Amino acid sequence: MHCRRYLESQVTRRQMLRNSSVGFGALALDMLMAQDCAAEAEGPLAPRNTHFAAKARSIIFLYMDGGVSQVDSFDPKPRLNKEHGKPFSLKMEPTQFNNIGTVYRSHWGFKKYGQCGMDVSGLFPHIGTCADDLALVRSMTAPFSEHNTANFFLHTGFGVQGRPSMGAWATYGLGSECRDLPGYVVLNGGLIPSGGMDNFNSGFLPAAYQGSIFKAGNKPLANIRRREASAALQRSKLALMKKLDFGGLENIGRVDKLESAIANYEMAFRMQAAVPELVDIKGESKKIRGLYGLESSYGPTRSYGLQCLIARRMVEKGVRFIELTCPRISGNDRWDAHGNIRKNHGDNARAVDQPIAGLIKDLKQRGMLDSTLIVFTGEFGRTPFAQGSNGRDHSPFGFSLFLCGGGARGGAIYGATDDYGYRAVENKCELHDLHATMLHLAGMDHKRLTYRFSGRDMRLTDVHGNVLHDIVA
Amino acid sequence: MMKWPRLATRLCFFFHILLFAFPLAAEEKLSPQELEFFENKVRPLLSEKCYKCHSAGRKEPKAELYLDTRQGVLAGGESGAALVPGDPSKSLLIEAIRYENPDLQMPPKKKLSAAQIAVLEKWVRLGAPDPRLGKKVVAKTDDEAFDVQERKEAHWSWRPVVNAVPPAVKDRGWPRSPLDQFILSKLDKAELEPNPDAPRRTLIKRTSYALTGLPPSADDVERFVADKSPGAFAALVDNLLKSPHFGEHWAQYWLDLVRFAETKGHEADYPIPEAWRYRDYVIRGFNSDVPYDQWIIEHLAGDLVRSPRIDPELRTNESIQGTGFWYLGEATHSPVDIRGEESERIHNQIDVFSKTFLGLSLGCARCHAHKFDAISQEDYYAMYGYIQSSGFQLADVLEPLRKKEIAVALLGLRETEARKINASFARGKRTQFERLPEYLTAAAEVLKLGPLAGAPAGDSSDIIFEDFEKPGYAGWMVKGLAFGAGPRSQVNLPDYQGDVGARGKGFVNSHSYTVKGKIHAGDELIGSMHSPHFKIERRFINLLVGGGSHKNSTCVDLVVNGKPVASVVGPNLNKMVARSMDASAWAGARAQLRILDSSKGGWGNIGVDHIVFSNKAAAGPAEAGDDAGLAGRIADVAGKRKIQPDVLRRVVAHVERAKKDVHDPLHVFSKLCGAENSQAAVKVRDSVVDQLRRAEVEHQARLAARKVVSNVKNGERNYTKVERKWAEREDLVVDYDDPGADGWIVSGYRFGAGPLRRGQLLIGDEGRPVRGYVEVGRADADEASRKFYGLLRTPTFEVVGDTLWYRVRGSCEAFLAVDSHRTVHGPLHGGVRKRIKGDANTWRWHSHPVRNYLGHRIHIEFSNFSESFAVARVEFNAGTPVDGSPVNQVVLKHIAGLKELGIAGAAAAFSKQLIASMEALDPGASGVGGRGGHARLLNWAIGREDMLEARRPGDLEKLVADYRKSRSELEKTIPGTLRTLAMLDGSGENEPLHIRGNHKNRARENVPRSILTALRTPSEKPGVQARGSGRLELAERLVDRKNPLVARVMVNRVWHHLFGRGIVESCDDFGVMGAPPSHPELLDWLAHHFMENGWSVKNLIRTILLSRTYGMSSSPQTRGSELDPQNRLLHRMGIMRLPAEAIRDKVLAVSGRLDRRLFGKGVMVHITEFMRGNRSPGGSGPLDGNGRRSIYTEVRRNHLPSMLLAFDRPVPFMTMGKRVLSNSPAQALILLNDPFIHQQVDIWSKRLFAQKGLGDKALLVQAYNEAFHRSPRDGEVAAALQFIAAQGKLYDKDSRQQAWRDLLHTLMNVKEFIFIN
């Protein structure tokens, strides 16, 4: 499957052409269709050397749109039970809705899981069973309290539009190991994050690194299905195109730009076949389907389960960076529980808990978890005091997220918030640190992964970021 | 840390103190306890937790803070002193370790334990005793080491543009332009040959796409190919430059620079209003070849230029539209940290500005001096101020000259006519005022009180005639059931009547008699009561009357000789009121009172009590009801004096009323009327003066007692209420009575040339020719013309209190622009918009809570006016603000100066005062103080027109009618409005440095607005001279020809678009990190040429196109490919892929679907299923964008057209002078499978097939000409025909047409379709 991964020396198309006495003309149409790994085009997505040995070859980013409440999920705070209904006594920062209620307890009890004894709430009973594989961070902070800026920040390291997404940075730095799929895929579950598609854009990096939006379904990717009635009809067109293009090359002269544009059609053609194959899960066993929650009676669980399963299949194909957005659940606006958190978080957790646990377990049993980094996070956490009577407002001052596999230290619990779960007080870290750590696990030094733009060597982490070595295995 | 034995420590430090003269010993000797405390507790803690980052041991201590010396602690770091000895709550160090401030938490990794915090708190409380010596080591920071001039001298792009001499070349025949010599000379040196000239067919194709982004027509191609004349190419270029499509194509490049979009992105992608008009402005600008220096001035200060550029066709103000580019960036709708959001927005504006116009990355100096370029951090914040000094507006741009003319004409008309009208009005008024004393003295006569003629001398005491305190109606003749058997008392009244206000116990009440044990509910009972006869010996009959006010049916009548001569009625209330009848006309007559209740309907009842005969009326004539007696007296006096009885009646009523109101100008007169003698009169005058002075003192005290409530810390939730005294300087936002030059900020002509000033005449209409005079100055939206657009904004100010108050007449919307934030939608900032609703004629205070914005800088905009709107004052206040003084100083002065205190004298003096005030307000009068007071007095008089004799007809009505007619004729010619986004200059604002770019950590000093240090002469001080922002000055200096950047950057951009690569490859970065120019002399030659030729972009393009270099063939040559593989020396022309928009436009053009119309609102973007989500807009634009060119596709930040994006259309967030050129499978997939492409192929094939009788060969020739502007070569013909035959076999029906469709689709996928050689 990773056909490039084990090649010692890579013969690029250009070298091949140079070495070939007959030049480009010798590359017949068959080659366009051929499954010959060695013929892969040199280009923006060619695999590149890492700065040091990588632990994670692929990254699956589980984006919990809207912000999960830390005190209801991974950061138990008994004090909230004690002071439930009383005014919040710590100094408060302004909140988005400015509708401050009293201290609000969690609706979900916590239980210790695994050998590490990690506390996980009743929201995530399945994920809890993977506790020994999770590296939990309880002291994450973000600089923004609104979704849009916080999303941009989480995805791109800047609170504004137009910067390259972390997936774009990863593919820019590592290239793709997959010759018939894009290196950076967003598996859209139905919710487009606040801030829109720009969370997945390549910003000032070349468009080749842009996230490709896949939908879990029959037409997973824009323009991926040929419109010709049969493959033969398209193939003959492509044959003619090739012939005319070569004629053009003879006439205009052989220029890199033209040649790579011609080569581009090869990748496109392969994708036409590979993508539908990828999303066709007929071959998956009933056991596997059950593991991912595809047999669940709850629609959103089935839908997220399918995304998780396809994510695994993409990892198998060598896709570098896969982001999963959440499914749409009617009656809930993402994880954004400004009111009735009980229903909101209950429904959302029900949708993702079993599929995520299934993904972790499946990767593990296939021996792929060590080389696949899973990151679970929202753009911020939520207030330990109520918004109104039964919701929680945005709060970026101390929230929880976890990493799993791909070199993350299983069972680690890093950092702590205060007694209320409001502010990080121990090992306080910021999202730049998460980015730095993700890149580190993927074999890249976040300070060396740069792109010259606007008179500066730009980085995902700007001028910040420290690798969280304590959660690295 | 190493723990020292306690004794050793102590000894060691005693030695220090002894051996060295401890520098602080003089003022602070440490006690042994203090020392011990420091050494045992404080030092180990500092050393363990702080020194790692904050000590001299570190190369670059964090935040420049040293905690390892006493001096370092006291001097502090970037954020100021680390502590205030003795006061932990004011000490940054303590704040940091307490983790109170989320932006300042130390140590960063983990909070200290409570005990550790307590140690340091105690230490500070003790005064921070500190024995440590040593100076703070001052590191040589970047900023100090950095010298702008040095850097400027070291880098090429700052050097002046020189008129470079074209170098000599070997082949003198080759160059066609001096430009070519620069190219050829470099090739000579590299021993390279330039490519031969391109074929003419290639040339027209290349040139057409380069100038218009559209394919040339087949006819044009053939004509040009055939035309071998020497001027043919120049003519072609000229034609293409004249094409309106030139502007469309080049505008897109410009829009890339200014990150053009029509929405603000982020969560809700709110629209940027009228953004598309900026796009059209740019297209028009390129088409009309606006000189580039002017273009820059328009972008920076188009709102401030003295004579704006007017589009000859649209008659719009073009210049101001350039400033719209500032507002094309992103914005969020509900930032929690509103100032933080502003700093991001302004950062983007500064970055776009500096990259677009100067090729500099000024944005890099946000946090620190630029790492490489000659830009200091001050330069960044000097620019910041310009933006903060300016605000957003939707300006009216239609027919500015015409509107200005009309506004000036209206103003002039008003001035001249007001003078005439005032003169006429004053003449009339003077006559009226001169007649007033006659009436005043007559009124005094009417009201003159005293014993009644014929009454017994010596006795004028009140006679209580009847008070109904006896059980029955003894002496009265009672008829009917209404009045029962005797007087009622409050206890036997039904509750609903309430307290009827009787004197004593008994009274008459016809509403409460029981019939068969029930209180009779209705007013059904009727009856009458006649009193015993009496002789009239007192002037008035006073009584209490309640119940119905039916004349002649529920009333008390005075009956003389059997006939009622005077009558009073109740007030339609059960509660009785005082009434009086003047009986003086019947003095000495025998009379009788009659109480009547003959009414059965509502209020068919009467109450009566306490009938008293007196020489003083209990009620004034105004309340006296139908008092035939008073009327008679008025008629008598009027008749005697030959004056108008109606007028006299009203004067009498007013004088009577004025008694009760000390602020009435006639108060003193009414009081004087009652004075017995001259001594009493003096007392009256002095008492009035005294009361007025006291009222003034009270008013001043109220003013002095004003308070403002605010909290201590800005923008924090934890609110501590703090009340402080109102301060004129801080708490008054603007007073339009005297706003000063900086306080008057308007757009449009609706508010006229300035505030209405005190004493100005308000011209009315035919019914009421003069509305009065302005008492207090104000901004008034009615005085110019309501047909004008108008926006009024205050200067920028800091929010210092909880509540803002507006003194407003009428209705409007008040908008708080807080930190220039204006994307207002909930949840957090809905309160910045306030609809003010009020009456058009009444001044009212309206409050606007602003507590959430304490400490922020804001300005207020007034817009969306009702028919009538004016605002006088805006201020902070804790309670209701204090109105103007109730005391009219002009009146007070008049009273205090009264000499003649007799009735006639006082009346004459009052009349004189009115005339004097009139004269004082004559527009010709000069230097008259108290204008407001005079206006107020006259307005009082104008409001009581009915107290004056009717004005004799004069020319006033005609003057006013003529004025209104001329005015409305002028108004009719006011053109409509067309509004578009632009800047509005505000008050001058400066911003302090943000330390390390953190907007929450600001330096103390403001950085003055100023042009970049490197663009100043070394001796010049920073700062601006102009009022307001000073942008115009900035713009004019930027385009000064001494600034080398502007011209170089622009010619390079043009070169980049024409050759695919700039002479400086990094088009937006001419700094040290950018690429050096490949041909520096050529760059200068072009820049010089550009400036010399009036900054004409078209001329520049023409110059380049007509060069031999541009006309070279693009075929690779062997030697060139080896020696110059990147073609940096331009040994051949480059091969270029069409930009995204041109690809789509070409598809439309080739299919025949292209709609070539220009301009207009954008076509909604087509939302594909992959763009669709929970946040996408409703609906979707058409798949083919209605066939319009790509530039007219609406640019929604969150839904950018996917096809254009795939072909490298940049995301609009930052200046993009050079697009990335990528090659991705998505591009191939689009051309292969996108429904848009297939739709267009269908249209194309149908169009071709619609021509009957063409064979395959002919069709192929046509298709090739349309797609590639050439005929197919033999091999291509063979391949195509073979394809048609083979492909046709794959279809069952319409096989030829299907095969052709497939062929055409294939042609669109052939690279030649999108690559230009």
Side-chain angles (χ1 to χ4, degrees), chain A residues 44-45 65 90-98 100 144-149 152 159-163 188 190-198 201 203-208 210 213-215 219-228 232-234 236-238 240-241 243-245 247-248 251-255 257-258 260-262 264-265 267-269 271-272 328 333-334 397 414 423-428 451-457 468, chain B residues 99-100 102 105 108-111 264-268 330 332-337 344 347 351 355 361 364 370 372 713 715-718 827-828 852 1069 1073-1074 1114-1116 1132 1135-1137 1169-1175 1197-1198 1200 1205-1206 1208 1211-1216 1220-1225 1227-1235 1238 1264 1273 1276 1279-1280 1282-1283 1287 1290-1291 1301-1303 1305-1312 1315 1317:
Chain A
L45 290 171
D65 194 345
L90 297 187
K91 181 169 172 179
M92 282 183 273
E93 297 297 324
T95 62
Q96 176 92 37
F97 280 81
N98 204 8
I100 310 290
F144 296 104
S145 297
E146 309 101 61
H147 295 294
N148 37 30
T149 40
F152 285 141
V160 290
Q161 194 162 22
R163 308 291 163 148
N188 181 9
L191 283 176
I192 294 187
S194 174
M197 299 300 181
D198 242 28
N201 248 326
F204 44 73
L205 295 176
Q210 211 169 299
I213 315 291
F214 273 56
K215 286 163 75 163
K219 266 177 75 180
L221 183 67
N223 298 317
I224 199 63
R225 300 260 175 201
R226 65 173 149 71
R227 304 181 78 84
E228 289 78 8
L233 282 171
Q234 192 190 43
S236 52
K237 281 180 173 179
L238 288 170
L240 175 64
M241 178 192 82
K243 202 182 282 176
L244 299 178
D245 271 339
N251 217 280
I252 294 169
R254 275 190 236 125
V255 190
K257 278 181 196 167
L258 281 177
S260 47
I262 291 167
N264 208 5
Y265 275 75
M267 172 82 159
F269 185 80
M271 278 170 66
Q272 285 189 152
R328 265 168 113 164
D333 187 9
R334 306 158 285 164
F397 311 109
Y414 184 77
R423 286 181 198 283
V425 290
E426 193 186 308
N427 287 330
K428 183 174 155 183
Y451 185 86
R452 171 68 55 81
F453 170 74
S454 186
R456 267 177 69 192
D457 283 334
L468 302 175
Chain B
Y99 272 44
E100 272 174 357
Q105 297 185 341
K109 282 271 169 185
K110 193 172 179 198
K111 194 178 171 182
K264 299 180 184 174
H266 291 269
E267 187 164 0
E330 298 162 51
T332 63
H333 70 283
S334 209
V336 172
D337 179 359
E344 289 300 332
H347 178 67
D351 234 12
K355 284 179 180 150
S361 47
C364 291
H370 199 288
F372 310 99
K713 280 196 172 175
E716 300 271 347
R717 277 199 52 75
N718 302 12
L828 219 41
N852 289 346
D1069 187 5
M1073 294 299 276
S1114 65
S1115 302
R1132 63 180 177 90
I1135 285 182
M1136 284 180 276
R1137 200 198 71 203
E1169 55 184 311
F1170 291 87
M1171 293 157 76
R1172 176 80 56 203
N1174 50 323
R1175 294 181 186 283
R1197 280 205 153 84
N1198 287 359
L1200 297 167
L1205 269 190
D1208 305 308
V1211 174
F1213 76 100
M1214 178 47 61
T1215 298
M1216 285 295 171
V1220 171
L1221 194 75
S1222 79
N1223 177 34
S1224 77
Q1227 295 165 351
L1229 287 171
I1230 284 170
L1231 293 175
L1232 282 174
N1233 297 333
D1234 196 88
H1238 282 261
Y1264 255 74
R1273 287 181 274 271
E1276 289 164 335
Q1282 195 188 338
F1283 173 84
Q1287 193 79 347
L1290 299 173
Y1291 289 102
R1301 194 193 164 285
D1302 286 354
L1303 175 67
H1305 182 215
T1306 307
L1307 293 186
M1308 277 193 186
N1309 276 276
V1310 167
K1311 307 305 160 283
E1312 196 178 341
F1315 281 89
N1317 61 322

Side-chain angles (χ1 to χ4, degrees), chain B residues 939-1185:
Chain B
N939 284 348
W940 172 89
I942 293 167
R944 281 156 192 82
E945 182 78 21
D946 58 1
M947 278 171 51
L948 300 171
E949 277 186 2
R951 199 163 32 81
R952 289 198 204 110
D955 55 355
L956 182 61
E957 273 76 8
K958 189 174 170 339
L959 280 173
V960 169
D962 287 352
Y963 165 68
R964 296 220 73 91
K965 197 165 158 241
S966 322
R967 185 183 143 100
S968 81
E969 262 159 28
L970 270 174
E971 279 190 287
K972 266 183 222 149
T973 63
I974 298 175
T977 52
L978 192 156
R979 293 174 62 191
T980 187
L981 72 173
M983 260 187 171
L984 172 62
D985 215 41
S987 46
E989 289 283 301
N990 290 321
E991 183 74 6
L993 290 186
H994 298 181
I995 294 164
R996 296 203 183 264
N998 181 355
H999 66 279
K1000 291 181 180 168
N1001 191 5
R1002 296 164 172 224
R1004 286 191 193 88
E1005 301 274 310
N1006 278 337
V1007 181
R1009 305 189 295 294
S1010 184
I1011 194 168
L1012 293 179
T1013 316
L1015 293 176
R1016 290 197 298 263
T1017 54
S1019 59
E1020 189 190 341
K1021 288 223 165 70
V1024 286
Q1025 305 300 319
R1027 183 184 293 159
S1029 67
R1031 276 182 285 118
L1032 185 58
E1033 189 187 290
L1034 173 72
E1036 281 165 351
R1037 290 203 55 178
L1038 282 180
V1039 299
D1040 187 297
R1041 289 183 56 172
K1042 276 185 229 135
N1043 173 4
L1045 292 170
V1046 166
R1048 276 203 193 112
V1049 167
M1050 187 57 184
V1051 298
N1052 188 60
R1053 292 193 190 287
V1054 169
W1055 189 273
H1056 165 82
H1057 295 311
L1058 294 175
F1059 287 93
R1061 182 170 55 218
I1063 297 171
V1064 175
E1065 261 192 80
S1066 52
C1067 297
D1068 303 323
D1069 187 5
F1070 274 44
V1072 173
M1073 294 299 276
S1078 57
H1079 297 77
E1081 297 84 8
L1082 172 58
L1083 185 66
D1084 270 21
W1085 184 86
L1086 286 166
H1088 181 80
H1089 183 85
F1090 182 46
M1091 293 191 281
E1092 282 294 304
N1093 286 281
W1095 302 81
S1096 160
V1097 173
K1098 283 192 177 179
N1099 178 288
L1100 173 67
I1101 292 174
R1102 192 174 189 276
T1103 304
I1104 296 173
L1105 291 192
L1106 297 185
S1107 71
R1108 186 121 197 200
T1109 307
Y1110 184 78
M1112 277 191 290
S1113 139
S1114 65
S1115 302
Q1117 45 156 288
T1118 323
R1119 195 172 157 74
S1121 300
E1122 274 169 25
L1123 295 179
D1124 183 24
Q1126 300 292 317
N1127 194 24
R1128 283 184 204 286
L1129 299 179
L1130 280 177
H1131 65 268
R1132 63 180 177 90
M1133 187 63 184
I1135 285 182
M1136 284 180 276
R1137 200 198 71 203
L1138 290 176
E1141 296 81 359
I1143 293 175
R1144 185 181 159 279
D1145 293 351
K1146 178 171 182 181
V1147 169
L1148 290 168
V1150 168
S1151 79
R1153 173 71 180 97
L1154 184 67
D1155 178 345
R1156 288 175 192 260
R1157 279 177 299 177
L1158 277 83
F1159 306 128
K1161 207 166 187 313
V1163 182
M1164 188 182 178
V1165 63
H1166 179 68
I1167 310 266
T1168 70
E1169 55 184 311
F1170 291 87
M1171 293 157 76
R1172 176 80 56 203
N1174 50 323
R1175 294 181 186 283
S1176 39
S1180 169
L1183 180 62
D1184 65 354

Side-chain angles (χ1 to χ4, degrees), chain B residues 158-430:
Chain B
W158 296 103
R159 282 173 213 142
V161 171
V162 293
N163 184 12
V165 179
V169 292
K170 279 186 211 149
D171 179 0
R172 288 203 205 148
W174 192 79
R176 206 175 283 147
S177 142
L179 179 164
D180 295 319
Q181 286 171 258
F182 293 100
I183 299 294
L184 188 57
S185 140
K186 284 232 170 189
L187 290 175
D188 282 351
K189 274 181 206 130
E191 298 187 344
L192 278 169
E193 294 281 327
N195 252 17
D197 294 345
R200 297 179 77 75
R201 195 175 287 282
T202 303
L203 200 57
I204 181 172
K205 179 176 165 184
R206 181 188 294 168
T207 312
S208 298
Y209 284 110
L211 292 193
T212 66
L214 289 174
S217 77
D219 287 353
D220 286 347
V221 174
E222 297 315 321
R223 204 177 311 120
F224 178 70
V225 169
D227 183 356
K228 300 264 167 30
S229 68
F233 185 62
L236 172 75
V237 168
D238 287 340
N239 272 335
L240 288 169
L241 285 171
K242 268 183 227 147
S243 159
H245 302 304
F246 166 80
E248 291 175 320
H249 185 61
W250 283 74
Q252 184 62 55
Y253 293 141
W254 186 263
L255 297 182
D256 284 2
L257 298 179
V258 297
R259 38 83 175 107
F260 174 80
E262 297 175 66
T263 62
K264 299 180 184 174
H266 291 269
E267 187 164 0
D269 214 13
Y270 288 111
I272 300 171
E274 311 293 340
W276 61 274
R277 294 192 190 275
Y278 174 81
R279 175 246 290 149
D280 284 358
Y281 156 82
V282 175
I283 295 173
R284 288 194 300 273
F286 275 97
N287 276 341
S288 56
D289 197 21
V290 177
Y292 186 65
D293 55 346
Q294 188 181 340
W295 189 244
I296 292 187
I297 290 176
E298 290 185 0
H299 274 73
L300 263 55
D303 55 327
L304 299 173
V305 291
R306 277 155 214 104
S307 48
R309 181 168 64 89
I310 309 294
D311 184 87
E313 261 175 62
L314 303 170
R315 287 173 298 170
T316 45
N317 176 347
E318 294 292 278
S319 301
I320 192 173
Q321 299 188 47
T323 58
F325 94 96
W326 292 100
Y327 300 106
L328 298 171
E330 298 162 51
T332 63
H333 70 283
S334 209
V336 172
D337 179 359
I338 193 165
R339 198 181 272 151
E341 199 243 4
E342 178 187 48
S343 71
E344 289 300 332
R345 254 186 296 116
I346 293 183
H347 178 67
N348 176 261
Q349 289 169 320
I350 292 177
D351 234 12
V352 168
F353 153 79
S354 66
K355 284 179 180 150
T356 300
F357 300 111
L358 300 171
L360 287 178
S361 47
L362 189 49
C364 291
R366 181 185 189 176
C367 311
H368 45 70
H370 199 288
K371 290 276 188 215
F372 310 99
D373 289 332
I375 303 171
S376 67
Q377 197 186 359
E378 280 79 5
D379 284 334
Y380 179 90
Y381 290 95
M383 192 60 215
Y384 206 99
Y386 283 106
I387 299 171
Q388 285 192 320
S389 307
S390 317
F392 172 88
Q393 66 164 331
L394 282 175
D396 175 22
V397 297
L398 194 59
E399 300 217 42
L401 296 184
R402 184 87 195 94
K403 279 179 185 147
K404 190 174 180 183
E405 267 172 36
I406 299 170
V408 167
L410 277 170
L411 195 71
L413 180 71
R414 186 183 190 287
E415 257 174 36
T416 51
E417 294 306 301
R419 204 164 289 147
K420 285 190 218 157
I421 290 168
N422 193 54
S424 164
F425 181 65
R427 270 197 306 278
K429 272 276 163 292
R430 190 186 182 99

